[in-house]
Amino acid sequence: LSVSFPDNLLENLALNSPWDKLIILENPTKFLSILEKLCSILTEPTQEQNRYRAYACFNFLLAEFFASKAPKTNPDKRYDLFEDVIEYINNNLNENLSAAYLSQKFNISESTLTHRFKKDYQVSLHEYVIERRLFHAKFLIKQDFLPTKIYSECGYENYSSFYRAYQKFFGLPPSKEKQK
């Protein structure tokens, strides 16, 4: 399976060579099944919920690419579990994604979850969740959704906390995103 992205989509990833743009997926079967799901959603009659489902699938696909680009240590037998955790996070950005909740959901100690996540993905679980939520918000804003309407879709309880997090992460308020 070969997927080509325009250079401007990848320009913010600090890729050093043309070979860095070559992404080898560790689980192409899973990627292909999500891609098929995305295609089926896009061919269904247009409904607002289908847009959210399509965006969730697309975000999962991007996460698969970026996770494949990250250098990994030698994973142990729990690696499949961590793929499931990543998939759950990417598909449930509007839900409680605390380490305590995820450790209970996946029947693993909170300490093991957070330490192994940091070791395998070079980013803390909390940072990953925040980044995924904010990139999802940015994507929705660029698709003409109002920031005041999407904050709960991105896991924030109120607009002011979403606004502060977005501005801190991206350096500009969400309302200015469309103007860039």
Side-chain angles (χ1 to χ4, degrees):
L1 175 66
S2 174
V3 179
S4 176
F5 289 110
D7 288 339
N8 64 348
L9 183 67
L10 300 174
E11 67 190 12
N12 294 330
L13 296 180
L15 303 174
N16 298 323
S17 74
W19 291 108
D20 285 340
K21 293 182 182 178
L22 179 64
I23 299 172
I24 310 291
L25 294 174
E26 294 180 2
N27 193 343
T29 307
K30 182 188 259 185
F31 177 86
L32 192 54
S33 71
I34 295 295
L35 186 59
E36 288 170 350
K37 184 176 181 181
L38 176 61
C39 290
S40 72
I41 291 169
L42 294 175
T43 58
E44 292 175 4
T46 308
Q47 295 177 3
E48 192 68 21
Q49 66 201 34
N50 285 356
R51 289 180 71 183
Y52 286 121
R53 288 174 51 216
Y55 294 139
C57 286
F58 184 74
N59 279 323
F60 175 77
L61 295 177
L62 288 179
E64 280 292 303
F65 276 120
F66 297 136
S68 294
K69 285 300 292 176
K72 294 191 177 53
T73 58
N74 290 332
D76 66 11
K77 63 186 177 204
R78 290 192 199 111
Y79 188 74
D80 287 341
L81 173 67
F82 284 86
E83 282 186 357
D84 291 343
V85 171
I86 291 277
E87 182 177 1
Y88 182 81
I89 290 169
N90 293 335
N91 290 325
N92 297 283
L93 292 171
N94 62 335
E95 294 182 13
N96 174 10
L97 297 174
S98 67
Y101 174 78
L102 292 170
S103 64
Q104 184 179 15
K105 178 159 187 61
F106 289 95
N107 199 25
I108 186 171
S109 79
E110 188 174 340
S111 175
T112 300
L113 174 66
T114 56
H115 285 91
R116 286 295 317 278
F117 197 94
K118 177 77 171 174
K119 180 181 173 191
D120 288 354
Y121 298 100
Q122 288 76 47
V123 65
S124 74
L125 176 64
H126 180 70
E127 290 170 327
Y128 179 80
V129 169
I130 289 172
E131 288 177 14
R132 292 296 305 125
R133 285 177 168 166
L134 292 173
F135 277 111
H136 180 62
K138 185 175 189 169
F139 182 76
L140 291 174
I141 291 167
K142 287 190 178 260
Q143 301 302 315
D144 294 327
F145 287 98
L146 293 174
T148 54
K149 303 289 183 194
I150 58 142
Y151 68 88
S152 63
E153 263 309 300
C154 301
Y156 288 88
E157 291 183 17
N158 58 58
Y159 181 71
S160 63
S161 61
F162 166 71
Y163 181 94
R164 285 191 308 275
Y166 194 96
Q167 185 162 7
K168 181 179 178 184
F169 190 79
F170 290 113
L172 73 158
S175 59
K176 300 282 186 205
E177 189 63 53
K178 285 294 286 181
Q179 299 169 2
K180 280 188 6 179

